[in-house]
Amino acid sequence: MQKGTIGKDLNLAAELLRRGGLVAIPTETVYGLAANALNPDAVLKIFEAKNRPRFNPLIVHVAKANEMAQYAEVPKLARRLAERFCPGPLTLVLRKKPMVPDATTAGNPTVALRVPAHPMAQKLLSLLDFPLAAPSANPSGYVSPVTAEHVAENLGDKVDYILDGGRCQVGIESTVVAVEDGNIRILRAGAITPEMLAEFAPVTLARAGAESGSPGLLPSHYAPKTKLSWGKLETLLEKHRGQNVAVLAFCKAPQKAGIIACEVLSSSGDLREAARNLFAALRRLDAAGADAILAEAVPEEGLGIAINDRLRRAAT
Ligand code: TXA
Ligand code: MG
């Protein structure tokens, strides 16, 4: 079979994974580039295909929340979070058990675990007797894929098969949290918001950067090839006067000379809809041939925190 073939054959996907292959899988957040999380050789292929720095650990996907205890120590608070939010867009960073290879956790004593909610990911995991390591299925640093076609465009020659589960419903990567001494530290913002987590324990938000405790939270990430600026649209348009610009607007398209492409994330101002549209819109704007992409800051609340986080880092 040709690399990068797109299809819906779950048995084929399972067989390729059993043989140590790479399969792109749909999740409710973004597409993942999956391999057997317990097989270091298979896991190394993920790093190679993505050109991912070896120090950046992978998320391990399991079929059910109660399987987490096979791979990590699960303190009470983590168990309560898993009961409430799994399956769903929450990743828990927990102290790992020895059976999880260093290749998967990049040598960290912790492992990130998540239960994807997408029915095809669920079905696939239930066919396997091992968990799946899966980072987002994009070349390291580029925009995450939310359709099978996005995966084919970027990594088609590197994956054995692309399981097509349609368009991702959340559209932005999972919330990554560390659970420490009864506190919740958000390492990466996502669809599970600080308010939702605050019902369970005190929440702190780690700042992106070297000391964030999450090696993948590099300040620069999620970046299109076209230079991107993020902030108040009016200010950005003023600064880029005289250039051909592509605009990513939150709920209303601005009217100004020089705008050669524009995407509105949600005309009704709905942050969920905006998150769902974010990465596909960024990819279209990246293809517009503009001098710059100008991305509007969205309200810094709920899912808006995650959207601004991605745009801020795309701009670095
Ligand atoms: O929604 C998602 O989380 C998607 C889908 C495919 O599940 N996956 C994803 O994986 O976004 P990735 O590799 O692109 O992002 C994983 C993030 C990185 O920032 C990584 O550094 C962090 O999780 N992470 C993984 N293991 C960790 C660990 N042991 N300690 C701290 N951070 C960890
Ligand atoms: Mg990623």
Side-chain angles (χ1 to χ4, degrees):
M1 196 184 48
Q2 212 186 329
K3 293 252 179 198
T5 299
I6 298 178
K8 295 179 194 293
D9 190 339
L10 284 160
N11 290 314
L12 172 63
E15 190 47 36
L16 290 165
L17 289 163
R18 284 185 203 108
R19 286 191 221 145
L22 287 186
V23 176
I25 62 165
T27 82
E28 77 279 26
T29 58
V30 300
Y31 274 73
L33 182 61
N36 179 351
L38 305 182
N39 176 345
D41 293 332
V43 165
L44 282 178
K45 291 184 196 163
I46 295 178
F47 285 88
E48 274 162 20
K50 277 183 62 97
N51 199 10
R52 182 181 180 98
R54 294 294 161 93
F55 58 80
N56 192 358
L58 305 176
I59 295 177
V60 173
H61 298 68
V62 294
K64 294 200 176 67
N66 63 18
E67 284 176 27
M68 288 183 178
Q70 290 177 40
Y71 308 107
E73 309 295 337
V74 185
K76 194 160 157 222
L77 174 56
R79 197 165 60 239
R80 288 177 57 222
L81 291 174
E83 277 163 10
R84 170 66 183 81
F85 297 112
C86 301
L90 182 72
T91 297
L92 293 165
V93 173
L94 303 170
R95 187 152 282 278
K96 85 174 186 82
K97 290 191 171 166
M99 70 183 300
V100 182
D102 281 340
T104 300
T105 65
N108 279 284
T110 53
V111 59
L113 288 162
R114 139 166 157 78
V115 184
H118 194 291
M120 270 177 123
Q122 284 269 326
K123 191 78 198 288
L124 179 64
L125 285 165
S126 73
L127 292 175
L128 299 169
D129 58 5
F130 50 82
L132 291 175
S136 50
N138 50 281
S140 188
Y142 192 61
V143 182
S144 295
V146 292
T147 65
E149 289 74 24
H150 290 162
V151 180
E153 277 162 32
N154 298 146
L155 294 176
D157 55 338
K158 306 222 165 73
V159 292
D160 294 308
Y161 189 59
I162 302 171
L163 202 50
D164 188 357
R167 172 105 180 220
C168 301
Q169 286 304 300
V170 174
I172 202 161
E173 301 85 349
S174 63
T175 304
V176 180
V177 301
V179 177
E180 294 153 352
D181 311 323
N183 293 298
I184 300 170
R185 204 151 64 90
I186 299 181
L187 304 176
R188 180 177 71 185
I192 306 298
T193 63
E195 301 89 82
M196 292 159 85
L197 294 165
E199 285 177 32
F200 293 82
V203 175
T204 54
L205 205 78
R207 278 206 356 231
E211 290 127 321
S212 71
S214 193
L217 289 189
L218 309 172
S220 169
H221 213 82
Y222 310 102
K225 298 191 175 75
T226 314
K227 193 175 155 43
L228 183 145
S229 297
W230 170 83
K232 262 186 83 168
L233 264 193
E234 232 172 286
T235 318
L236 296 176
L237 283 164
E238 192 52 39
K239 252 176 82 179
H240 289 262
R241 209 160 31 160
Q243 291 186 346
N244 286 331
V245 295
V247 169
L248 184 69
F250 176 41
C251 51
K252 193 163 168 281
Q255 302 297 327
K256 265 256 161 69
I259 299 178
I260 61 164
C262 181
E263 295 277 342
V264 173
L265 289 177
S266 168
S267 51
S268 63
D270 175 8
L271 288 166
R272 280 169 171 271
E273 186 183 23
R276 195 179 306 134
N277 289 329
L278 179 67
F279 289 143
L282 264 181
R283 283 168 178 263
R284 285 192 295 269
L285 294 176
D286 201 13
D291 299 322
I293 297 174
L294 309 184
E296 181 175 19
V298 305
E300 183 74 8
E301 62 193 32
L303 247 174
I305 299 170
I307 296 173
N308 283 332
D309 165 73
R310 303 305 188 272
L311 291 174
R312 200 181 292 121
R313 283 196 268 151
T316 303

